[in-house]
Amino acid sequence: MNTAIGKSVRRKDAWDKVTGKALYTDDFPISGVLAARLLTSTCAHARILHIDISKALGIKGVKAVLTGADCPELFGPLLQDRPALARDVVRYAGEPVALVVATDKPTAERAVRLIKVDYEPLAVVLTPSQAMAEGTPLIHKQVNGYKKLLTDIYPEAGTNIASRYRMQKGNTAEAFQRCKVLVEQRFFLPPSAHLAMEVRTARAEISSDGSVLITASSQSPYSVRKQLSEAFLIPAGKIQVRVPYVGGGFGGKAPVMLEVLAFLASRSVGGKAVRLTIPREQDMASAPCRMGLEADLKVGVDENGLIQAADLTYLLDCGAYTDISPYMTKAIAMDCTGPYHIENLSCDAICVYTNHTYVTSFRGFSHESFTFCIERVLDMLASKCSLDPLEFRIRNAIRPGSLTPSQVECTASLTGDLTKCLNNIKQLAQWNGGNAVPIKENTVRAKGVACFWKTENPPTDAISGAMITFNPDGSMNLNTGVVEMGSNGQTHLAQILAEKLQVDADQVHVVTSVDTRTAPEHWKTVASLTEYMAGLAVVRAADDLLEQLRSNGSQVFGCPADEIEVANGRVFSKKNPEQFIAFKDIVQGYKSQQGESIGEPVLGRGGFMLKGLSMLDPQTGQGKTGPEWTLGAQVVEVEADLKAFSYRILNASTVIDVGKVINPESMRAMIAGGMAMGISLSSREAYIYDQDGIPRLPNLRTYKLMHIGQEPDYRVGFVETPEDNSPYGLRSFAEHGVIGIPAALGNALAAAFGRQLVILPLTPETIWRTPSEEHV
Amino acid sequence: MVKYEGKVVIALQVNGEAHEVAVRPSDLLLDVLREQLGLTAAKPGCLNGDCGACTIMLDGWPVKSCLMLAVEAEGHVVLTVEGLNGTAPIQKAFVDADAFQCGYCTSGFLMVCHALKTQNPLMPKENIIEEWLQSNLCRCTGYQEIRRAVRLMYEST
Ligand code: FES
Ligand code: FES
């Protein structure tokens, strides 16, 4: 019987969040805490000739001013190519150049304005294809001289290429010969912003014994510890990182940036507590953003409407520094075709430096970008073959026995069931073949479909853990290293634990903040792997509890441990269920009526390390980077004004194979939120740079997000093809709602306007500028 | 008109209590609430009037506390989420409708909704609700849940 799995258990953080009691990093008291502010670069690419900090230092209340000269260390999770503060050269507009520490924020801000920097402008590189061209200036002189932290990063000397991943399968040259229909298309997607409502922020202090305490709005407390420890040669145990509630992450809080600056600030003032806050404008221009992408795709189909070959080139615009981009590039290669059976494939995914703001993981980990390109091509092919685009996808859907791009053999457990998702979405979205339907003069309605799939790209040795204690009332405390940033992982983990112990989910209390001193390490709260990785750790910790409860029970009842059952908060013997002991009387050890102590207090612990993952073969790309895939299908319906080039999004649907629906309401909300983000980003979001590489007004007034009144009706359906190794068969799901939406919107608008849309965002202007099909 | 210079002591009426605080004329109401009174429910999101995370209620109307100076709030009645005491219908409605994920925008939305109810005791038309809530941004939810919470708020009272 299910006690918790499959139920719409209420969020554990609900009442904290509606009463203002949920504390975020910058909500902690600030008395006695110094304030730090950043000066950032006004040039996209320039040599720093001179920095004059004398005036700033002269202001009363200013404690320290730091520049690149004060911190020679380089940072980056994969390739150490980024200084904390620019040294000698700036590589993007918004790059941190100096840091002021003062008694309060207004003083620090005043001092920042008095720092004078002399720049000598250098030529700027603004697109990946420009960066790849012969004779383009190098953004990093010695890209292959940087320290690599993982071996599968391949910077190419004398170029702007930070890394490259290849997929090679079958024989594309031969297969293209057999094709009856061919589409060759180029795509351009600009960078955009994460825009979590909480701006990134960090605090630091250092005790006189050298212990470091960081409090940060971060998805990666354990990476903060690791990077500080390695860069500044501090034993990891002396670094404590705390993460309270996080106000949205979406991948943007996975990198380690402000934490290092806050540490430097504190170190410069003798270890005093310092709080580094940045305005929204710097959160957009200085802290890492979402990737841009250029793609060149060629895909061919035979006379039966089956895809025979694909030749794909993806250029990821990683901006000025790599951060996690090489792995996002690898992620593109891993899933480059979308979830389709394609035997002949050649793919080049290249991570390229430009003078844009550097980029990092964004919800979808590159899938929301390349999926737009490949799924648009699928629609172009379907239309050339005169096939219903949804039927065309069913015909080519990946299925058990197919090989993924990296030549992993698909099984139902590994990848799930795309055909079922596509069939189910027909009804959910009232699919009508994908043609535009006139509503009135100059107005049509059209639907677009797109599929998605995604595997994860963690390091091959990523770990997670869980610790469980009991309270005297028999309820449990669950402690993991999972950050609560909205995706509700804590509640889902509590459900997994409750189910294992066969109790109600309200019998599990969670620790909503992370402290690296007390919580077992969880790699990072990213990649939607919480329920998978931490979930398996919780399962093991629960098994550990059960074993101890049975041991205590067997001693009390005087029978073998395997005769003891645990359910409904009771321990009893199978042979005599009427006679039981409530959790509260046995979890702290048992005391008989005579006062005799029996058994031991029960404490659960579980650890989990990913297994069986590999690096990709540098030539063919063969290998497996993640434990499983999640796939699904999405449809967007628009009502389009053919004269004004404007449109309204009526509804957005997702059918996703989640393996197991563990919390219907919460999962529905997460998928809907993903769709909302996909709609916002593909319909209006983009960083606009001028010819000097300066982003135009990075703030929420000019960079518009979707607001209430613009949202569609969201529809979510689930398919449950269990994953054999995960808790209760579940798959990752938290970020996936976003992935196929830009493509589905693009396909709907292409159908509505009869234009081959290949550029994001899909604003009326983009549509208007795209030549209509009759004229090409 | 009163002229303030240097730091001055002003009297603020917040959540039913009288406070005296020393402020600079340029201090934002948001910063004074958060940093001096410890009322951190109202959040900074943009400090530019664009996101609504800092919304509080002033004399029964929603106001972005990043667009208001603390000195301007003298003589007015300020209400923040802390002052709702967990008993305002909108709070339970938000919980029941799952109207948040990360929760960072929540305080601002709660105050707009609470003010909406204060000004419109009976459920207004959908487009009026939209007009009121357009001042605030949420990056996590798809807004559908927030709409549902507004309906629940009206239905529950
Ligand atoms: S912080 Fe006030 S509107 Fe954004
Ligand atoms: S719940 Fe995260 S911004 Fe609204």
Side-chain angles (χ1 to χ4, degrees), chain A residues 418-474:
Chain A
L418 182 64
T419 310
K420 198 163 178 189
C421 293
L422 279 163
N423 279 321
N424 289 5
I425 208 165
K426 284 185 199 166
Q427 213 186 353
L428 187 69
Q430 290 151 329
W431 182 253
N432 56 0
N435 292 323
V437 180
I439 298 298
K440 51 181 192 253
E441 212 197 338
N442 289 323
T443 307
V444 298
R445 285 191 180 180
K447 291 176 187 164
V449 62
C451 296
F452 64 85
W453 72 340
K454 180 176 183 291
T455 188
E456 302 85 1
N457 287 266
T460 50
D461 59 349
I463 61 168
S464 189
M467 305 216 295
I468 304 162
T469 54
F470 273 105
N471 297 306
D473 63 355

Side-chain angles (χ1 to χ4, degrees), chain A residues 135-180:
Chain A
T136 303
L138 294 183
I139 293 164
H140 294 263
K141 287 265 147 9
Q142 286 230 312
V143 67
N144 54 332
Y146 292 129
K147 182 172 170 202
K148 290 198 234 174
L149 293 160
L150 289 171
T151 48
D152 56 345
I153 316 297
Y154 311 102
E156 297 181 12
T159 71
N160 285 315
I161 296 174
S163 200
R164 182 196 296 255
Y165 302 88
R166 282 206 180 88
M167 291 289 158
Q168 212 53 256
K169 184 170 80 155
N171 183 337
T172 44
E174 204 179 276
F176 274 122
Q177 307 262 309
R178 290 197 301 273
C179 292
K180 291 280 164 300

Side-chain angles (χ1 to χ4, degrees), chain A residues 10-11 13-15 17-24 26-28 30 37 104-107 193-199 245-250 275 279-281 362-363 484-487 665-666 668-670 672-674 676-677 680-681 685 699-703 705-715, chain B residues 7 24 26-28 31 34-36 38 40-53 67 81-88 90-107 109-110 129-148 150:
Chain A
R10 170 168 296 165
R11 295 185 68 101
D13 53 15
W15 281 97
K17 286 183 174 173
V18 297
T19 50
K21 292 214 164 67
L23 294 183
Y24 300 78
D26 209 33
D27 290 343
F28 291 89
I30 58 157
R37 298 291 269 192
D104 56 17
K105 208 162 62 172
T107 309
H194 297 85
L195 287 180
M197 280 299 117
E198 180 202 24
V199 168
Y245 280 113
V246 170
F250 315 116
R275 120 191 212 249
R280 175 60 73 184
E281 291 72 10
F362 179 91
R363 191 178 198 162
E484 181 43 65
M485 54 185 181
S487 35
E665 252 320 301
S666 160
R668 196 207 60 78
M670 216 57 57
M677 198 165 214
S680 187
L681 93 85
E685 295 182 35
N699 62 47
L700 285 170
R701 182 149 311 168
T702 45
Y703 186 108
L705 296 182
M706 181 166 76
H707 60 65
I708 200 166
Q710 299 173 317
E711 84 281 15
D713 179 29
Y714 306 96
R715 303 167 185 175
Chain B
K7 269 204 178 184
R24 277 175 291 248
S26 59
D27 283 345
L28 302 178
D31 287 342
R34 289 173 54 81
E35 296 175 2
Q36 298 209 40
T40 56
K43 306 283 187 228
C46 65
L47 302 183
N48 199 37
D50 301 324
C51 75
L67 291 184
V81 168
E82 288 91 341
L84 298 178
N85 296 321
T87 55
I90 191 59
Q91 290 174 294
K92 181 157 187 320
F94 257 59
V95 171
D96 290 342
D98 268 323
F100 49 86
Q101 291 176 22
C102 81
Y104 199 80
C105 69
T106 308
S107 299
F109 270 105
L110 288 170
I129 297 177
E130 275 176 20
E131 220 169 86
W132 274 69
L133 269 58
Q134 268 171 17
S135 54
N136 290 44
L137 293 173
C138 174
R139 187 62 155 168
C140 299
T141 74
Y143 295 113
Q144 219 169 22
E145 298 87 354
I146 296 176
R147 258 181 216 270
R148 190 147 56 96
V150 174

Side-chain angles (χ1 to χ4, degrees), chain A residues 217-546:
Chain A
S217 173
S218 168
Q219 296 173 239
S220 316
Y222 300 90
S223 307
V224 173
R225 183 176 70 182
K226 182 163 180 272
Q227 290 201 25
L228 284 177
S229 162
E230 284 170 4
F232 301 104
L233 305 175
I234 306 165
K238 287 196 121 181
I239 302 170
Q240 181 180 8
V241 183
R242 286 193 201 144
V243 175
Y245 280 113
V246 170
F250 315 116
K253 290 172 181 168
V256 179
M257 178 188 183
L258 298 186
E259 296 84 355
V260 170
L261 291 166
F263 167 80
L264 290 169
S266 173
R267 196 180 64 175
S268 72
V269 293
K272 287 203 184 70
V274 178
R275 120 191 212 249
L276 171 61
T277 52
I278 56 174
R280 175 60 73 184
E281 291 72 10
Q282 285 182 355
D283 188 63
M284 293 179 73
S286 303
C289 65
R290 171 174 161 258
M291 60 179 273
L293 181 71
E294 278 181 40
D296 260 307
L297 312 190
K298 177 177 165 191
V299 184
V301 171
D302 69 8
E303 66 277 5
N304 301 316
L306 294 173
I307 303 174
Q308 291 301 324
D311 189 347
L312 316 171
T313 305
Y314 293 104
L315 307 183
L316 185 153
D317 176 354
C318 82
Y321 300 102
T322 46
D323 197 65
I324 202 78
S325 298
Y327 266 32
M328 298 203 313
T329 314
K330 184 168 79 159
I332 295 180
M334 274 303 287
D335 289 334
C336 60
T337 54
Y340 304 105
H341 179 88
I342 304 177
E343 277 172 16
N344 303 289
L345 166 71
S346 148
C347 170
D348 239 7
I350 310 174
C351 184
V352 189
Y353 288 115
T354 65
N355 291 118
H356 286 152
T357 298
Y358 74 107
V359 315
T360 190
S361 50
F362 179 91
R363 191 178 198 162
F365 206 62
S366 78
H367 290 65
E368 79 299 337
S369 300
F370 79 79
T371 300
F372 175 76
C373 311
I374 189 80
E375 289 289 330
R376 283 290 299 116
V377 167
L378 267 271
D379 257 38
M380 296 174 193
L381 286 166
S383 136
K384 277 193 164 181
C385 298
S386 309
L387 286 169
D388 173 338
L390 197 150
E391 297 299 337
F392 179 61
R393 284 172 170 82
I394 292 181
R395 202 174 285 194
N396 287 287
I398 197 134
R399 45 181 62 99
S402 307
L403 292 185
T404 70
S406 73
Q407 305 186 40
V408 178
E409 185 175 329
C410 296
T411 62
S413 158
L414 191 65
T415 38
D417 190 343
L418 182 64
T419 310
K420 198 163 178 189
C421 293
L422 279 163
N423 279 321
N424 289 5
I425 208 165
K426 284 185 199 166
Q427 213 186 353
L428 187 69
Q430 290 151 329
W431 182 253
N432 56 0
N435 292 323
V437 180
I439 298 298
K440 51 181 192 253
E441 212 197 338
N442 289 323
T443 307
V444 298
R445 285 191 180 180
K447 291 176 187 164
V449 62
C451 296
F452 64 85
W453 72 340
K454 180 176 183 291
T455 188
E456 302 85 1
N457 287 266
T460 50
D461 59 349
I463 61 168
S464 189
M467 305 216 295
I468 304 162
T469 54
F470 273 105
N471 297 306
D473 63 355
S475 66
M476 289 168 272
N477 306 308
L478 173 59
N479 189 7
T480 65
V482 170
V483 169
E484 181 43 65
M485 54 185 181
S487 35
N488 208 15
Q490 305 274 358
T491 307
H492 303 147
L493 294 175
Q495 289 180 260
I496 291 171
L497 173 57
E499 186 69 35
K500 283 290 292 181
L501 273 279
Q502 288 289 296
V503 295
D504 221 68
D506 65 13
Q507 290 302 299
V508 180
H509 305 282
V510 295
V511 185
T512 46
S513 54
V514 174
D515 183 331
T516 56
R517 271 269 147 85
T518 51
E521 177 158 349
H522 175 67
W523 163 54
K524 293 176 184 177
T525 308
V526 299
S528 313
L529 274 171
T530 294
E531 290 78 3
Y532 194 98
M533 287 180 58
L536 285 169
V538 168
V539 165
R540 289 178 184 178
D543 283 333
D544 191 29
L545 286 182
L546 288 168

Side-chain angles (χ1 to χ4, degrees), chain A residues 617-637:
Chain A
D617 180 281
Q619 299 311 320
T620 62
Q622 261 176 301
K624 183 166 178 265
T625 60
E628 42 99 50
W629 269 264
T630 301
L631 50 68
Q634 301 186 294
V635 169
V636 168
E637 182 175 20

